[in-house]
């Protein structure tokens, strides 16, 4: 282990601990319809996402949300309405736990690995919980970089896994 | 939505799926994902971050990979796994080409490499996915 | 009547004729909540717009939409999903009627006069119809200007007037 | 939300309501009103239209006038009539001051002039409204 590290003992201690726990408002048909319009823009989105009659006759038996639909956008039922954050804090994760972050300037979303389970549907109430899977360090073009992998799991009101994502953030 | 009439084969190149990019696309995506971040909606903020312009959300490229998978395998195909690496920013005016190639075929299931590249052929976001074919 | 006019006989003939008739999808709680977040940004919006328990105890007896809420945004139940228009057509109104517009370059929203009736609520299905109230001309800084007043009426599923707006557009 | 403790009187000036403006505000409004118009989200488009920057939606100023009315008269007050003229564009960075003055008082009802001005005191959007006071 090198003497110089971004990974403090405090940071090691939060690995595996839940954060960002939230419960969505019920997914509305309008949320799904608008999501589909946005990601298919400028094309008309498939009827599966907005035409109940069409969707009923499909294998899904009704409207479903696109796989990547986010039911936590804008506000969640729990925690409730909050003020919008202005600006960006690269230490957001550590701040959430009330510990000191590495104080780096840049935070990049480097990618994600996702397994999908049940499709989201109108009326679904989705629960989420995240935890840090790992902190690692690596040397790159930008010098020493901190790599954080966060695992987020979404579950529907029947307890079925909706998706599980490992998201990689690179800070330097 | 059209589905592939014949079974996919390993090495098969899938038809590219093209999207222009810009504020019309990004601000609609911000609208639904509540992703109102200055670097995505203000050229000045993009420049301050070291890019020539504002740039698009990684999550929107992610969405386009999913759209392409359904374009190729039909809307009733089930995406069970997908992954992506964001390597380069999608700056304003970039035309995104979503391309794919079949890497494995199992009964009722395919693996594909799926990626976003710019018009110069640079892979901005390489990824892969596993898709269960409808009716199987 | 001057010899030179932007107002053709075809245009005079559409005055009073209905257009832009539409029926909204049912108003969702999510639509109202997001509207309130957007217009109150960066403040937290009043609970009346997103907290059903709070709203039940108010004079309204439940969540209502802000007066200026637009239930036709993104898509309407009738007419159905359409492709997004790219760019702006100053002759949009006349094009809707299949007649030739004056072909002017600039179209400004000069203002509006609105009477409000019943508040919109979750589940409401709003109908709308518009018609041209008047075409007039006036000389101004920008030369001859065409002034169009469009009256739009919104009605809820119980036949109650929700709002009536006279909107003034100036073209030159 | 606070309501005026005493009955309004003709000539009474109402406390100003202030909003900064910019893409954070405009793109959220575009998000809910589907008002994705280049002049509201792209400085280049604003300049092409003859303004120094992109500029805000008239409809958003309209919304702010309504917010101010409820700020002044309470959330249970009923706005029965409102009107506005859009005189000047709200360019990027303009601070909007929504101001009001009571112009008439009738039993349970007031008329007000309500307008948006910039920090230099120029009225960008003059308007008026009739409000039924709650509990009357």
């Amino acid at each position: 282990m090198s003497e110089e590290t971004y990974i403090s003992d405090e940071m090691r201690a939060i690995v595996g601990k839940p954060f960002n726990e939230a419960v969505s408002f019920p997914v509305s048909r309008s949320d799904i319809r608008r999501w589909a319009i946005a990601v298919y823009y400028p094309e008309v989105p498939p009827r599966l996402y907005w035409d109940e009659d069409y969707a009923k006759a499909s294998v899904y038996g009704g409207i479903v949300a696109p796989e990547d639909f986010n039911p936590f956008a804008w506000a969640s039922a729990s925690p409730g309405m909050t003020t919008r954050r202005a600006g960006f804090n690269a230490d957001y994760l550590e701040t959430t736990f009330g510990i000191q972050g590495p104080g780096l300037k840049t935070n990049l979303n480097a990618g994600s690995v996702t397994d999908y389970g049940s499709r989201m549907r109108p009326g679904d109430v989705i629960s989420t919980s995240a935890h840090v899977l790992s902190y690692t360090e690596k040397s790159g073009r930008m010098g020493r970089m901190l790599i954080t992998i966060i695992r987020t799991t979404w579950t529907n009101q029947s307890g079925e896994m909706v998706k599980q994502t490992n998201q990689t953030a690179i800070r330097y | 939505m059209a589905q592939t009439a014949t079974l996919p084969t390993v090495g098969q190149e899938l038809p590219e799926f093209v999207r222009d990019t810009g504020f019309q696309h990004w601000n609609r995506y911000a609208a639904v994902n509540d992703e109102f971040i200055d670097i995505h909606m203000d050229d000045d903020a993009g420049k301050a971050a070291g890019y020539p312009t504002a740039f698009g959300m990684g999550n929107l490229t992610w969405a386009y990979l999913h759209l392409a998978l359904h374009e190729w395998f039909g809307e009733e195909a089930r995406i069970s796994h997908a992954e992506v690496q964001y390597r380069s920013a999608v700056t304003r005016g970039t035309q995104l080409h979503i391309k794919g190639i079949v890497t494995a075929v199992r009964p009722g299931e395919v693996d594909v490499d799926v990626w976003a590249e710019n018009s110069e052929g640079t892979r901005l976001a390489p990824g892969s996915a596993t898709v269960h074919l409808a009716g199987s």
Side-chain angles (χ1 to χ4, degrees), chain A, chain B:
Chain A
M1 201 161 299
S2 83
E3 236 168 87
E4 292 256 346
T5 177
Y6 290 135
I7 309 168
S8 67
D9 289 344
E10 272 188 331
M11 286 165 62
R12 278 182 218 289
I14 67 170
V15 171
K17 290 198 178 156
F19 74 103
N20 269 4
E21 294 183 295
V23 179
S24 78
F25 281 105
V27 172
S28 80
R29 283 180 165 70
S30 174
D31 296 340
I32 294 173
R33 188 169 56 235
R34 291 183 183 196
W35 185 280
I37 292 171
V39 298
Y40 276 89
Y41 174 82
E43 290 175 29
V44 172
R47 289 186 173 269
L48 179 61
Y49 301 131
W50 54 272
D51 181 337
E52 189 61 44
D53 290 339
Y54 174 91
K56 261 190 188 132
S58 77
V59 290
Y60 301 104
I63 286 174
V64 293
E67 289 87 353
D68 56 314
F69 175 80
N70 173 12
F72 301 101
W74 288 82
S76 53
S78 163
M81 193 72 72
T82 53
T83 47
R84 305 284 113 183
R85 278 178 296 139
F88 178 75
N89 171 10
D91 284 345
Y92 168 73
L93 168 62
E94 292 79 20
T95 304
T96 301
F97 281 100
I99 67 171
Q100 194 167 1
L104 296 166
K105 203 183 134 205
T106 304
N107 186 345
L108 299 180
N109 177 4
S112 60
V113 177
T114 296
D115 289 311
Y116 290 109
S118 293
R119 293 294 286 257
M120 290 175 278
R121 293 165 182 271
D124 276 6
V125 172
I126 310 297
S127 300
T128 182
S129 179
H131 64 270
V132 175
L133 208 61
S134 64
Y135 280 121
T136 53
E137 284 172 307
K138 181 162 112 168
S139 284
R141 270 183 306 157
M142 304 313 215
R144 193 152 42 97
M145 303 186 300
L146 174 64
I147 298 162
T148 310
I149 301 182
I150 293 173
R151 171 170 291 177
T152 301
T153 306
W154 290 4
T155 309
N156 68 17
Q157 67 283 354
S158 307
E160 298 162 346
M161 189 272 275
V162 166
K163 76 171 186 184
Q164 185 170 76
T165 296
N166 290 354
Q167 192 259 329
T168 301
I170 295 180
R171 284 182 276 183
Y172 57 83
Chain B
M1 199 169 288
Q3 291 182 219
T4 50
T6 54
L7 277 178
T9 52
V10 173
Q12 184 185 346
E13 288 181 26
L14 300 157
E16 73 171 4
F17 171 96
V18 179
R19 273 288 184 278
D20 292 323
T21 62
F23 291 133
Q24 289 283 350
H25 302 73
W26 301 338
N27 284 324
R28 281 186 172 81
Y29 189 73
V32 294
N33 199 38
D34 196 7
E35 200 169 343
F36 298 102
I37 303 182
D38 288 334
I39 50 174
H40 300 315
M41 52 189 190
D42 180 354
D43 283 335
D44 295 341
K47 283 170 193 159
Y51 298 87
T53 61
F55 52 96
M57 300 83 168
N59 289 325
L60 180 56
T61 299
W62 179 250
Y64 291 157
L65 300 186
H66 288 65
L67 262 57
L69 291 170
H70 284 298
E71 192 78 20
W72 296 329
F73 301 111
E75 71 183 14
E76 297 190 342
R78 186 165 70 79
I79 303 170
S80 60
H81 180 91
E83 49 185 279
V84 69
Q85 289 173 36
Y86 302 116
R87 288 208 183 141
S88 303
V90 178
T91 49
R92 208 177 151 189
T94 299
Q95 191 175 60
L96 282 180
H97 301 253
I98 313 297
K99 297 187 174 182
I101 190 164
V102 177
T103 57
V105 178
R106 293 179 296 279
E109 193 177 80
V110 295
D111 292 340
V112 295
D113 280 349
V114 53
W115 67 93
E117 63 180 47
N118 61 18
S119 294
E120 288 72 47
T122 306
R123 292 197 187 192
L124 309 177
S128 61
T130 299
V131 179
H132 295 259
L133 303 176
S136 59

